[in-house]
Amino acid sequence: MTTTPTVDDLAVTLDALRAQTPLVHSLTNIVSANFLTNVLLAAGASNAHIDNAHEAGDFARIAGGVLVNLGTPFDETSVAFTRAAEAAHDAGTPWVLDPVGVGGLAWRTSLAADLLKFRPTAIRGNASEIIALAGLGGDTRGVDSADEAAAAVPAALALVDRADAVSASGPVDYLVGRDRDGGIVGLRIAGGSAMLPRVTSTGCSLGGLVAAYLAVAETPLVGLAAAHAHVAVASEIAEENSTGPGSFAVAYLDALFAVNADTLRARARVEPFELPSKDTK
């Protein structure tokens, strides 16, 4: 028997996020650092952007959650990624791998594969990145996905051997992970806004929000799902109150702040889906 997380589980986790204000240690790309920080502050968490090799390992041990985002890796930051991931793994700090651009560029693809040995708590990417990270192909266009999220489910299942929960983002997000009893289940989260891809760093900031939720969630899958649902609902509200990408970015931060547990219960569209029989045991 499996126990699939419910919308109420996600709402309870949002309340926990606001009550605890977890500190995220983000090692993210140069494009997203500012927006990611604003997203975390609006949602109810906080952020420290520490991506130098001298301090990354030490800080990962004391943070609530860690994000390793491969958007703009350099030689020094790649060392910081490794030290942070290793330290988080050793200290039991939940950490997120966001494999930006993996599959399209050889060096970062190899770096992402090396980071998997430190067992991310969650992996969050677009469909092509998840497929490529699992070694099943994938067709990337820079940081954009050329695959539908549903097509990444077999890859997500393969990666659950290397992580606790995996998500592939798209118009509908597909999540795979272990429930509170250890069974593997799938969740589909619909909704969101078509404006999200028109504002830079919305995907990268989702990775940071996942790290924040992992710090307070009952299970990694619940934390991953809560972050996705929070973003989906907030972006819908933002679209209703904006006229273009610029006003959407501002309205999105306001909506992340305004969404509460009751809003999630009323608006989040979360449902289980049946996994391929091969990996449901």
Side-chain angles (χ1 to χ4, degrees):
M1 294 292 293
T2 57
T3 306
T4 305
T6 66
V7 171
D8 192 62
D9 292 326
L10 310 189
V12 168
T13 307
L14 172 54
D15 280 340
L17 181 82
R18 297 269 166 78
Q20 298 180 40
T21 317
L23 173 61
V24 172
H25 172 197
S26 66
L27 299 91
T28 192
N29 63 74
I30 58 176
V31 178
S32 70
N34 180 71
F35 191 75
L36 182 150
T37 301
N38 285 331
V39 163
L40 288 174
L41 291 171
S46 62
N47 182 51
H49 181 70
I50 297 174
D51 62 355
N52 69 78
H54 303 288
E55 299 173 326
D58 290 339
F59 200 80
R61 294 180 183 277
I62 62 173
V66 176
L67 167 67
V68 176
N69 175 296
L70 303 188
T72 53
F74 300 95
D75 287 338
E76 181 182 353
T77 54
S78 70
V79 176
F81 294 162
T82 300
R83 291 180 180 174
E86 182 176 18
H89 178 267
D90 291 347
T93 305
W95 76 278
V96 180
L97 175 62
D98 192 337
V100 179
V102 164
L105 296 164
W107 180 57
R108 73 180 63 210
T109 300
S110 175
L111 176 59
D114 288 342
L115 290 169
L116 286 176
K117 68 185 179 184
F118 302 116
R119 191 173 179 85
T121 312
I123 301 170
R124 189 228 72 84
N126 66 40
S128 295
E129 291 161 351
I130 296 303
I131 292 168
L133 186 63
L136 300 179
D139 182 10
T140 59
R141 299 181 302 172
V143 298
D144 297 323
S145 178
D147 295 287
E148 294 295 330
V153 170
L157 281 169
L159 287 170
V160 167
D161 289 337
R162 313 288 299 276
D164 295 314
V166 182
S167 66
S169 299
V172 177
D173 302 330
Y174 282 78
L175 287 66
V176 174
R178 298 186 184 278
D179 65 9
R180 61 176 61 92
D181 299 315
I184 301 174
V185 298
L187 282 179
R188 187 163 44 215
I189 300 179
S193 169
M195 294 297 292
L196 283 169
R198 294 185 177 273
V199 175
T200 189
S201 306
T202 54
C204 295
S205 60
L206 171 56
L209 193 57
V210 171
Y213 269 107
L214 291 177
V216 302
E218 178 185 12
T219 69
L221 181 59
V222 168
L224 182 62
H228 276 267
H230 195 160
V231 164
V233 171
S235 64
E236 289 177 350
I237 294 171
E239 185 175 355
E240 294 164 3
N241 294 283
S242 61
T243 58
S247 57
F248 175 83
V250 174
Y252 179 54
L253 294 176
D254 288 345
L256 286 165
F257 176 78
V259 167
N260 58 29
D262 289 338
T263 317
L264 278 191
R265 291 186 178 97
R267 297 190 59 146
R269 288 178 273 168
V270 181
E271 63 178 8
F273 68 90
E274 185 174 351
L275 296 172
S277 59
K278 175 182 175 181
D279 294 298
T280 55
K281 293 182 180 180

